[in-house]
Amino acid sequence: MNKVKAAVFASGTGSNFEAMMNCKELACEIVLLVCDNPGASVIEKATDFGVQTFVLNPKAFKDKHVYETEVLQVVRESEVEWIFLAGFMRLVGPTLLNAYQGKILNIHPSLLPAFPGKDAIGQAYRAGVEVTGVTVHYIDEGMDTGPIIAQKQVEVLPEDTEETLKYRIQKVEHELYPEVINQVVRMKRLWPVE
Ligand code: GAR
Protein backbone atom coordinates (compact mmCIF):
# COMPACT_ATOMS: atom_id res chain seq x y z
CA MET A 1 0.00 0.00 0.00
CA ASN A 2 1.24 3.48 -0.80
CA LYS A 3 2.29 5.57 2.17
CA VAL A 4 0.75 8.98 2.78
CA LYS A 5 2.95 11.80 1.58
CA ALA A 6 4.59 14.40 3.75
CA ALA A 7 6.79 17.47 3.42
CA VAL A 8 9.54 18.64 5.75
CA PHE A 9 10.07 22.37 6.23
CA ALA A 10 13.59 23.24 7.40
CA SER A 11 16.01 26.17 7.44
CA GLY A 12 19.32 24.74 8.58
CA THR A 13 21.45 21.66 9.05
CA GLY A 14 18.76 19.06 8.58
CA SER A 15 19.77 16.44 11.13
CA ASN A 16 16.09 15.84 11.94
CA PHE A 17 15.29 15.58 8.25
CA GLU A 18 18.06 13.00 7.95
CA ALA A 19 16.76 11.04 10.93
CA MET A 20 13.31 10.82 9.33
CA MET A 21 14.77 9.72 6.01
CA ASN A 22 16.86 7.05 7.74
CA CYS A 23 13.88 5.71 9.68
CA LYS A 24 12.88 2.61 7.73
CA GLU A 25 9.57 2.25 9.54
CA LEU A 26 8.41 5.82 8.92
CA ALA A 27 4.65 5.62 8.29
CA CYS A 28 4.73 8.27 5.58
CA GLU A 29 6.87 9.11 2.60
CA ILE A 30 8.80 12.38 2.67
CA VAL A 31 8.37 13.64 -0.87
CA LEU A 32 9.30 17.29 -0.50
CA LEU A 33 11.67 19.58 1.36
CA VAL A 34 10.64 23.23 1.66
CA CYS A 35 13.54 25.46 2.67
CA ASP A 36 13.48 29.21 3.27
CA ASN A 37 17.27 29.55 3.39
CA PRO A 38 19.11 29.07 0.09
CA GLY A 39 22.40 28.46 1.96
CA ALA A 40 21.12 25.68 4.23
CA SER A 41 22.90 22.34 4.20
CA VAL A 42 19.58 20.48 4.50
CA ILE A 43 19.13 21.16 0.76
CA GLU A 44 22.13 19.02 -0.15
CA LYS A 45 20.93 16.28 2.20
CA ALA A 46 17.53 16.22 0.48
CA THR A 47 19.15 16.10 -2.96
CA ASP A 48 21.31 13.17 -1.82
CA PHE A 49 18.19 11.33 -0.68
CA GLY A 50 16.49 12.10 -3.99
CA VAL A 51 13.82 14.23 -2.33
CA GLN A 52 12.36 17.13 -4.31
CA THR A 53 13.41 20.48 -2.91
CA PHE A 54 11.60 23.79 -3.05
CA VAL A 55 13.91 26.58 -1.94
CA LEU A 56 12.75 30.14 -1.73
CA ASN A 57 13.74 33.40 -0.16
CA PRO A 58 10.69 34.84 1.63
CA LYS A 59 12.14 38.34 1.35
CA ALA A 60 11.67 38.16 -2.41
CA PHE A 61 7.88 38.12 -1.97
CA LYS A 62 5.55 41.05 -1.44
CA ASP A 63 4.18 39.62 1.81
CA LYS A 64 3.71 36.42 3.77
CA HIS A 65 0.43 35.55 2.06
CA VAL A 66 1.99 35.68 -1.42
CA TYR A 67 4.97 33.64 -0.27
CA GLU A 68 2.82 31.02 1.47
CA THR A 69 0.46 30.80 -1.52
CA GLU A 70 3.46 29.79 -3.62
CA VAL A 71 4.52 27.21 -1.04
CA LEU A 72 0.97 25.88 -0.78
CA GLN A 73 0.78 25.33 -4.50
CA VAL A 74 3.95 23.23 -4.54
CA VAL A 75 2.91 21.29 -1.45
CA ARG A 76 -0.48 20.49 -3.01
CA GLU A 77 1.07 19.52 -6.34
CA SER A 78 3.15 16.98 -4.42
CA GLU A 79 -0.04 15.58 -2.82
CA VAL A 80 1.36 16.25 0.63
CA GLU A 81 -0.96 15.38 3.54
CA TRP A 82 1.33 16.18 6.46
CA ILE A 83 3.90 18.89 7.11
CA PHE A 84 6.72 18.41 9.61
CA LEU A 85 8.67 21.48 10.70
CA ALA A 86 12.24 20.50 11.55
CA GLY A 87 14.29 23.56 12.40
CA PHE A 88 12.07 25.81 10.28
CA MET A 89 12.90 29.19 11.77
CA ARG A 90 9.86 31.07 10.53
CA LEU A 91 6.32 31.48 11.82
CA VAL A 92 3.73 29.73 9.69
CA GLY A 93 0.93 32.12 8.72
CA PRO A 94 -2.81 31.70 8.19
CA THR A 95 -2.52 30.74 4.51
CA LEU A 96 -0.72 27.48 5.29
CA LEU A 97 -2.29 26.99 8.70
CA ASN A 98 -5.83 27.07 7.35
CA ALA A 99 -5.01 24.77 4.46
CA TYR A 100 -3.29 22.21 6.71
CA GLN A 101 -5.13 22.67 9.97
CA GLY A 102 -4.16 19.98 12.47
CA LYS A 103 -1.69 18.50 10.00
CA ILE A 104 1.46 20.47 10.83
CA LEU A 105 3.83 19.28 13.56
CA ASN A 106 6.90 20.99 15.01
CA ILE A 107 9.82 19.80 17.09
CA HIS A 108 11.46 22.11 19.59
CA PRO A 109 14.55 21.53 21.77
CA SER A 110 13.08 22.39 25.17
CA LEU A 111 10.25 21.37 27.45
CA LEU A 112 7.70 23.87 26.16
CA PRO A 113 6.32 26.25 27.28
CA ALA A 114 9.82 26.84 28.70
CA PHE A 115 12.36 28.44 26.36
CA PRO A 116 10.44 29.01 23.11
CA GLY A 117 12.00 30.70 20.10
CA LYS A 118 15.58 30.70 18.91
CA ASP A 119 18.50 29.08 20.73
CA ALA A 120 16.33 27.12 23.17
CA ILE A 121 19.27 24.94 24.19
CA GLY A 122 21.45 27.96 24.97
CA GLN A 123 18.59 29.61 26.82
CA ALA A 124 18.13 26.55 29.05
CA TYR A 125 21.87 26.14 29.57
CA ARG A 126 22.35 29.76 30.61
CA ALA A 127 19.30 29.60 32.87
CA GLY A 128 21.04 26.80 34.77
CA VAL A 129 18.09 24.38 34.73
CA GLU A 130 18.75 20.81 35.82
CA VAL A 131 16.35 19.30 33.32
CA THR A 132 15.39 20.35 29.81
CA GLY A 133 14.27 18.27 26.86
CA VAL A 134 12.36 18.00 23.62
CA THR A 135 8.77 18.74 22.65
CA VAL A 136 6.73 17.68 19.61
CA HIS A 137 3.54 19.66 19.12
CA TYR A 138 0.88 20.69 16.65
CA ILE A 139 1.48 24.25 15.59
CA ASP A 140 -0.79 27.25 15.79
CA GLU A 141 -0.08 30.86 14.86
CA GLY A 142 2.27 31.39 17.83
CA MET A 143 5.99 30.86 18.28
CA ASP A 144 6.50 27.25 19.43
CA THR A 145 2.94 27.13 20.77
CA GLY A 146 0.08 24.75 20.02
CA PRO A 147 -1.12 21.49 21.59
CA ILE A 148 1.71 19.32 22.88
CA ILE A 149 1.78 15.69 21.71
CA ALA A 150 4.92 14.37 23.38
CA GLN A 151 7.82 15.51 25.54
CA LYS A 152 11.01 13.81 26.62
CA GLN A 153 13.27 15.04 29.39
CA VAL A 154 17.04 15.45 29.08
CA GLU A 155 19.08 15.96 32.22
CA VAL A 156 21.63 18.79 32.24
CA LEU A 157 24.78 17.22 33.70
CA PRO A 158 27.17 19.26 35.87
CA GLU A 159 29.96 18.67 33.34
CA ASP A 160 27.83 19.63 30.33
CA THR A 161 28.89 22.34 27.92
CA GLU A 162 26.29 23.82 25.62
CA GLU A 163 27.69 21.60 22.86
CA THR A 164 27.42 18.33 24.79
CA LEU A 165 23.92 19.24 25.90
CA LYS A 166 22.95 20.01 22.31
CA TYR A 167 24.35 16.67 21.17
CA ARG A 168 22.23 14.73 23.69
CA ILE A 169 19.10 16.77 23.02
CA GLN A 170 19.38 16.26 19.29
CA LYS A 171 19.91 12.53 19.78
CA VAL A 172 16.59 12.45 21.61
CA GLU A 173 14.97 14.53 18.85
CA HIS A 174 16.09 12.09 16.18
CA GLU A 175 14.31 9.24 17.96
CA LEU A 176 11.28 11.07 19.26
CA TYR A 177 10.18 12.85 16.09
CA PRO A 178 9.85 9.75 13.86
CA GLU A 179 8.11 7.93 16.74
CA VAL A 180 5.53 10.69 17.19
CA ILE A 181 5.08 11.11 13.45
CA ASN A 182 4.21 7.43 13.21
CA GLN A 183 1.71 7.63 16.05
CA VAL A 184 0.00 10.67 14.62
CA VAL A 185 -0.06 9.50 11.01
CA ARG A 186 -1.26 5.98 11.88
CA MET A 187 -3.95 7.13 14.24
CA LYS A 188 -4.87 9.97 11.88
CA ARG A 189 -5.07 12.00 15.04
CA LEU A 190 -6.34 15.42 14.04
CA TRP A 191 -6.35 18.60 15.98
CA PRO A 192 -8.61 20.06 17.21
CA VAL A 193 -9.65 16.59 18.39
CA GLU A 194 -13.35 16.01 17.81
C1 GAR B 1 16.44 21.32 16.11
O1 GAR B 1 17.08 21.19 17.35
C2 GAR B 1 15.01 21.78 16.28
O2 GAR B 1 14.40 21.26 17.43
C3 GAR B 1 15.18 23.27 16.39
O3 GAR B 1 16.14 23.56 15.39
C4 GAR B 1 17.06 22.47 15.32
C5 GAR B 1 17.25 22.12 13.86
O4 GAR B 1 18.26 21.17 13.73
N1 GAR B 1 13.95 23.96 16.18
C6 GAR B 1 13.61 25.07 16.81
O5 GAR B 1 14.34 25.66 17.58
C7 GAR B 1 12.21 25.59 16.49
N2 GAR B 1 11.88 26.69 17.29
P1 GAR B 1 18.40 20.31 12.41
O6 GAR B 1 18.39 21.31 11.24
O7 GAR B 1 19.73 19.65 12.53
O8 GAR B 1 17.25 19.35 12.33
Side-chain angles (χ1 to χ4, degrees):
M1 209 177 79
N2 283 344
K3 289 180 176 178
V4 295
K5 295 178 179 165
V8 172
F9 284 27
S11 311
T13 312
S15 68
N16 279 285
F17 169 80
E18 203 173 0
M20 283 178 218
M21 294 307 301
N22 285 331
C23 174
K24 292 195 176 53
E25 307 83 38
L26 202 69
C28 51
E29 185 190 358
I30 310 292
V31 295
L32 176 69
L33 170 81
V34 173
C35 180
D36 62 345
N37 172 12
S41 44
V42 66
I43 299 166
E44 202 182 315
K45 289 195 169 82
T47 308
D48 288 348
F49 277 107
V51 171
Q52 183 196 344
T53 59
F54 183 56
V55 182
L56 72 180
N57 177 4
K59 289 200 184 99
F61 295 83
K62 193 179 84 176
D63 58 34
K64 195 165 194 128
H65 172 67
V66 177
Y67 145 78
E68 287 200 344
T69 302
E70 188 101 345
V71 173
L72 190 55
Q73 193 183 330
V74 175
V75 164
R76 282 189 166 143
E77 274 167 14
S78 302
E79 299 175 337
V80 159
E81 279 188 43
W82 290 90
I83 295 174
F84 308 129
L85 309 186
F88 189 64
M89 295 313 202
R90 183 169 299 279
L91 281 183
V92 175
T95 309
L96 277 167
L97 270 175
N98 292 338
Y100 277 87
Q101 210 205 4
K103 294 278 195 137
I104 310 181
L105 307 189
N106 180 41
I107 188 157
H108 184 75
S110 76
L111 296 175
L112 290 171
F115 311 119
K118 286 188 181 149
D119 190 24
I121 299 170
Q123 289 185 56
Y125 186 76
R126 289 189 293 276
V129 295
E130 288 175 10
V131 176
T132 180
V134 173
T135 302
V136 180
H137 64 101
Y138 291 104
I139 66 156
D140 59 19
E141 62 287 341
M143 163 110 66
D144 300 317
T145 55
I148 290 173
I149 308 167
Q151 292 188 306
K152 211 157 190 178
Q153 295 191 348
V154 175
E155 204 184 329
V156 185
L157 305 173
E159 65 271 25
D160 260 333
T161 62
E162 213 177 299
E163 271 311 300
T164 58
L165 181 61
K166 179 179 173 188
Y167 174 80
R168 293 208 320 286
I169 287 181
Q170 290 211 318
K171 230 171 130 202
V172 170
E173 289 194 320
H174 301 160
E175 283 171 16
L176 186 66
Y177 211 3
E179 250 175 62
V180 173
I181 286 170
N182 282 354
Q183 287 168 4
V184 170
V185 169
R186 289 206 176 108
M187 293 171 68
K188 300 187 182 357
R189 202 155 29 131
L190 298 183
W191 173 75
V193 180
E194 279 142 43

